[in-house]
Structure formats: structure tokens, C-alpha cells
Amino acid sequence: MAGKPVLVCTVGAIAGQTIEVPEGGLDLGRAEENHVVIRDEGVSRFHARLLFENGSLWLQDAGSRNGVFVNGQRVSGNQAIKVGDSIAIAEHRLMVRWTDDAIEPKEAPPEEQPESTEPDGSPRRRWFWPFS
């Protein structure tokens, strides 16, 4: 196990954001006092709490009206979560990852064009004569 846990938002108003989960955890909701603010009418002011203690991750519904879901199942009380789980809050989807896994791979250097391409980069067509 390398790195730290992070939440990667894949769907919703904060899509594309990666949020590191500090020791102790995060509060998620619509109110500005939360660590992760999600501006959406379907999100309660204090919607959920992600706890990170002694290497363990737990998700807690903070009494939200619309609930919080892990892998499609509604959370009641506390639920242990692990890397790879999907968290749904209203229309938002957050994936639990490790910092090492969440980093986008660097762009590979451009490859040299093989001789079998046209000047515009498209593949050069080879003719095949079946009777030779």
C-alpha cells in the first residue's frame, strides 16, 4: 500500500478534482464549513463524513435527506470503504484511490513516424497482388 487515499470526482460539479484525505478525515456537503463543498441542491449542508484513522477508511452519512451510497448501496451509520469503491452523493460520483494511482500518467514522447506513413501521418496503403 503506497501513498495516501484520495477522492477523485468523476461526475458532478467538481468533476476532475482530486481531494487528498488527511489523517482524521473530511466533511462533505453544501455548507462552506465542509472540507469538500459540493454546490448542488440534492446535497445536504452537512451530507457525509469520510473518516481516515490508523489506515482505515470509513464513510458516515451525516443525517442527509437524500443519503450517501457506496457501490450502489445506501450507507446507514458507518460503513468501511476501500480503495476502488465508488461513492455517490446526489448527482456526484467520487472514486476512492491512492495518490499514486490517481496521478495522471505523463504524456509519452512523440514516436518517430515509421517509413510506412504518408507525410500527413496517415498509414501508407500497401497493395497486394494475389497472383504473384
Side-chain angles (χ1 to χ4, degrees), residues 78-130:
N78 292 331
Q79 180 173 331
I81 59 172
K82 62 189 178 314
V83 171
D85 283 346
S86 173
I87 300 170
I89 297 176
E91 299 298 319
H92 296 76
R93 301 294 174 271
L94 303 136
M95 297 298 296
V96 181
R97 299 272 186 246
W98 288 117
T99 51
D100 296 347
D101 296 337
I103 296 171
E104 293 292 321
K106 292 183 179 177
E107 191 173 312
E111 296 180 18
E112 290 183 29
Q113 294 294 328
E115 292 180 27
S116 61
T117 61
E118 297 293 335
D120 67 356
S122 62
R124 179 172 288 158
R125 295 181 189 234
R126 293 182 181 232
W127 291 95
F128 175 74
W129 187 254

